[in-house]
Amino acid sequence: MDPEENYDLTESLVGGDNDAYPADISMGSNNRNTSPTTRCSGRIRSLPTLFFIVTPMIIFIIVVFLSAALIPTDVTSNSSKQATSLRDSMMQYLARHIMPYDVPNIASLGFQSNGQPKPDGMSDGIVDQTVYYSIQAKTLYPWTDSIPQDVYFEYVVPYAVTNEPRTNHRPLLFNALKDTLKQYERAAIGNSTQSTQDQIKEVVKLINTELWALMGRDSKPIVFKASLTPRIYDPLSVIAFGYSSCTGLAIMLVSALRSVGIPARMAGTPAWYGDPSKGDHSWVEVYVVSNESGKDGKWMFLEPTPGIAEGKEDTANADNLDRDPCKRWFCKADRFNGSTKTYATRYDKQATSFFPMAWADDDRGVPGEDRSKFYTSTCGKCK
């Protein structure tokens, strides 16, 4: 390149101040008789220009390298490890306490999944999907931070409630409720001063209000119909038929709450007054934290409120956790006089009891908890 061209290029880069460096002009001239000392002096004077051009470029490259190569890789690696560790812990918990009905199908359920892509034509089992969305719920909804891990593992992560058919309902319910709960996501809720307890109560009522129309078909909400257990009592069957009895509706609501990271379980009695001929009933219990640490939480109960049509949600008055227990039709002293036994479902094999199912008299495969004392005390006061 001719020295004149070299000067013109430098001039265009630094802004073209012709008076700044007179020596540069002498370098760009065609005076070949200029002494080496003068030309060297001109080069030295041009170093500040090069310094101010090159140095920022070097610093920029270093910063980009450190930011793009080192920091994100480290953060992504740690985040990936944490997610993998949580997934493995959840899978191990579910496998360790697997119900007897599921042992023959342990592979097809997905317990042997390693989280790797499957061959063409194959997919993950429902357990892997359930665990994935259990982690997604923790990522999306802030109330999950206050729920103790042992409670979350037992009452959110499981893919089933009792011995109902095992179906892939978790992703369906999670995605169906996402728009409904948009205002409760971490990004939307920001630095809200609302307590976790109030958040959970609000969300439970909202889901019990909107779930039935949201998952209904042909613009008709899911409704109650008696005497359908065990024919229609898993979530996908309830959605497909558009109705179920109290057991199917309770399992449906429990599954919906679990899909968004709220611990829930089914409660009920297999026989009013201890007499199977008097009928049975099922409802829902929800774990509500008492403070932000999640300690000393308690189980509160409500009934599913099906039949709420789209557009009628505001006037529907769906059941909620703050309602006076005595306002529920079944919570009366004459029913809970000591003769009615009440239980709640569990998943952990260490449970000291089992959940008796009116539709399967001799089946002891579902772990349970005896709640008779609580309901006798609570409903025994109601006239």
Side-chain angles (χ1 to χ4, degrees):
M1 177 181 289
D2 186 90
E4 184 76 15
E5 296 174 354
N6 183 52
Y7 170 76
D8 290 340
L9 177 59
T10 305
E11 183 81 6
S12 67
L13 289 173
V14 300
D17 187 353
N18 293 331
D19 298 325
Y21 296 102
D24 288 348
I25 299 176
S26 65
M27 286 183 62
S29 70
N30 291 323
N31 184 2
R32 304 297 182 183
N33 296 323
T34 305
S35 68
T37 302
T38 303
R39 292 198 298 272
C40 181
S41 175
R43 292 190 180 94
I44 292 173
R45 292 179 183 179
S46 69
L47 287 179
T49 299
L50 296 174
F51 175 81
F52 285 112
I53 295 174
V54 175
T55 302
M57 292 176 64
I58 294 174
I59 294 174
F60 176 77
I61 291 171
I62 293 173
V63 171
V64 170
F65 175 76
L66 290 175
S67 300
L70 296 179
I71 297 176
T73 300
D74 199 35
V75 171
T76 303
S77 176
N78 288 337
S79 177
S80 178
K81 287 179 181 178
Q82 290 174 358
T84 301
S85 176
L86 183 57
R87 176 192 178 279
D88 290 346
S89 296
M90 289 178 174
M91 292 290 283
Q92 290 167 9
Y93 174 82
L94 293 176
R96 188 163 59 249
H97 299 281
I98 188 171
M99 292 186 192
Y101 326 105
D102 301 326
V103 174
N105 300 314
I106 194 167
S108 59
L109 284 170
F111 279 105
Q112 296 177 354
S113 170
N114 58 9
Q116 298 301 313
K118 299 295 184 292
D120 186 34
M122 301 293 290
S123 69
D124 292 325
I126 63 171
V127 174
D128 198 70
Q129 287 285 291
T130 304
V131 167
Y132 172 80
Y133 283 100
S134 297
I135 295 174
Q136 289 297 301
K138 285 186 71 67
T139 302
L140 204 60
Y141 301 116
W143 53 77
T144 58
D145 295 341
S146 300
I147 298 170
Q149 180 172 289
D150 60 329
V151 175
Y152 199 86
F153 274 34
E154 185 167 8
Y155 300 107
V156 172
V157 179
Y159 51 91
V161 180
T162 63
N163 66 343
E164 74 274 11
R166 281 31 178 158
T167 57
N168 191 34
H169 59 269
R170 183 67 63 100
L172 180 65
L173 293 171
F174 176 90
N175 288 305
L177 291 167
K178 201 168 184 298
D179 286 343
T180 300
L181 301 184
K182 195 74 175 177
Q183 61 181 314
Y184 293 97
E185 293 180 8
R186 293 183 191 274
I189 209 163
N191 296 320
S192 172
T193 57
Q194 186 181 36
S195 70
T196 300
Q197 181 180 113
D198 288 341
Q199 283 180 3
I200 291 175
K201 288 181 177 180
E202 277 189 14
V203 170
V204 168
K205 182 177 181 180
L206 182 61
I207 291 176
N208 196 22
T209 300
E210 300 198 5
L211 176 67
W212 317 106
L214 191 64
M215 304 310 297
R217 60 196 188 104
D218 299 329
S219 301
K220 295 179 181 179
I222 292 170
V223 296
F224 169 82
K225 284 190 178 182
S227 305
L228 288 174
T229 307
R231 199 161 65 242
I232 302 172
Y233 72 129
D234 68 278
L236 290 192
S237 291
V238 175
I239 293 169
F241 283 92
Y243 50 77
S244 186
S245 53
C246 60
T247 299
L249 297 175
I251 290 176
M252 176 80 170
L253 183 55
V254 167
S255 301
L257 294 173
R258 288 181 177 182
S259 76
V260 298
I262 295 178
R265 63 188 185 182
M266 186 169 75
T269 178
W272 289 119
Y273 314 104
D275 182 356
S277 67
K278 301 294 184 181
D280 61 279
H281 190 48
S282 302
W283 55 90
V284 174
E285 289 189 347
V286 177
Y287 183 85
V288 180
V289 300
S290 58
N291 53 54
E292 302 310 304
S293 70
K295 295 181 179 179
D296 303 320
K298 62 180 179 180
W299 289 98
M300 303 179 72
F301 70 103
L302 77 163
E303 276 202 297
T305 312
I308 300 175
E310 186 175 1
K312 303 293 185 181
E313 295 89 351
D314 292 340
T315 58
N317 195 30
D319 198 6
N320 63 86
L321 296 174
D322 284 327
R323 176 168 290 175
D324 180 354
C326 296
K327 298 294 184 181
R328 299 184 178 99
W329 69 269
F330 66 89
C331 191
K332 304 297 179 184
D334 66 323
R335 290 183 180 273
F336 292 93
N337 57 9
S339 60
T340 297
K341 297 298 181 182
T342 314
Y343 301 84
T345 59
R346 293 193 59 181
Y347 187 82
D348 199 306
K349 281 184 176 180
Q350 303 304 315
T352 56
S353 184
F354 66 96
F355 183 80
M357 296 174 283
W359 60 94
D361 290 341
D362 298 325
D363 192 327
R364 298 194 172 197
V366 180
E369 179 180 331
D370 192 331
R371 297 281 283 163
S372 302
K373 184 176 180 180
F374 169 80
Y375 284 101
T376 299
S377 172
T378 300
C379 299
K381 303 171 185 176
C382 303
K383 304 300 182 183

